Amino acid sequence: MTTERGTRRRAPAGAAVLREDVTDAIRAAVFEELAAVGFARMSIEGIARRAGVGKTAVYRRWKSKLALVLDLVAAVAAQGMPAPATGSLYGDVRAVLELAAYALRHPVASQVIPDLLVEAARNPEISEAIKAALLDQQQGVAAVVVREAVARGELPEGSDPDRALDLIVGPLYWRLVVVRGELPRGYLDDLAASAVAALKHT
């Protein structure tokens, strides 16, 4: 009988006990495997080996690597990005950029996100999951930032949250994910100021 790492006794008859520590180890292994080999070359065998469990431990939880990745993306989306509440448009924009830069510069995320975006172009399921994880939650944050700025009189009525999101995060994504360049000192401050100026004159 294949056992999960650290299991010394048989599970109760008639019930599959899914240990949280094993589930967490598998999810961590998926991130690492995606970063190392990409979605196309990723396999359940490789994930199990990296997590230190048997393949059956993975299949008990997910029927395929696609199901596993979709679940992982959904879990990231559920965590969400908190809407800043600094009391000023510049402060909120700067806070959004700080969080986005941290996420995009993460050594695993910087490898995983571009790879999944490529796969999203081929697979509608991955595309929808990525949209929920990356776009929908950020649109929600942008809507809060714009609404609060309008309430304070910093932006005019009718300001578009989608345009705000493009102006705030678009240049940062281009710099870190497409160009894959470093951020010079003061870059986020300058980008926040430029985004605020553009928002106020649109």
Side-chain angles (χ1 to χ4, degrees):
M1 175 179 175
T2 302
T3 58
E4 297 174 1
R5 181 175 56 183
T7 300
R8 294 171 183 255
R9 295 181 298 178
R10 290 178 180 273
V17 179
L18 301 181
R19 290 172 41 192
E20 281 300 315
D21 61 327
V22 173
T23 301
D24 291 343
I26 294 171
R27 283 178 170 147
V30 174
F31 273 121
E32 294 170 3
E33 193 74 357
L34 278 170
V37 303
F39 179 82
R41 294 176 57 198
M42 186 179 75
S43 66
I44 295 296
E45 290 81 359
I47 293 167
R49 183 169 55 252
R50 193 179 289 272
V53 301
K55 287 191 298 182
T56 54
V58 181
Y59 282 118
R60 285 192 196 108
R61 293 162 172 82
W62 300 278
K63 63 181 180 180
S64 66
K65 72 174 185 179
L66 175 59
L68 205 169
V69 169
L70 293 177
D71 178 69
L72 196 64
V73 171
V76 171
Q79 295 177 9
M81 177 187 290
T86 66
S88 73
L89 177 58
Y90 173 84
D92 287 352
V93 169
R94 181 64 175 76
V96 168
L97 286 171
E98 186 72 35
L99 288 171
Y102 175 81
L104 292 173
R105 284 189 291 187
H106 187 282
V108 174
S110 65
Q111 298 296 322
V112 170
I113 291 174
D115 183 66
L116 286 181
L117 289 176
V118 170
E119 293 299 328
R122 308 186 186 104
N123 189 310
E125 289 183 275
I126 294 180
S127 177
E128 285 301 312
I130 292 296
K131 180 178 180 295
L134 297 181
L135 180 59
D136 291 354
Q137 65 161 320
Q138 291 188 24
Q139 284 179 323
V141 170
V144 172
V145 169
V146 169
R147 184 178 68 240
E148 294 300 315
V150 169
R152 289 190 299 263
E154 294 183 271
L155 289 179
E157 291 284 349
S159 294
D160 184 2
D162 287 344
R163 181 173 177 79
L165 184 61
D166 291 345
L167 290 170
I168 296 168
V169 181
L172 182 65
Y173 183 88
W174 174 266
R175 180 89 181 210
L176 291 178
V177 178
V178 180
V179 178
R180 303 182 77 81
E182 294 296 322
L183 299 184
R185 183 183 296 275
Y187 179 84
L188 295 182
D189 296 332
D190 293 342
L191 184 56
S194 297
V196 168
L199 288 170
K200 289 183 175 181
H201 291 87
T202 54

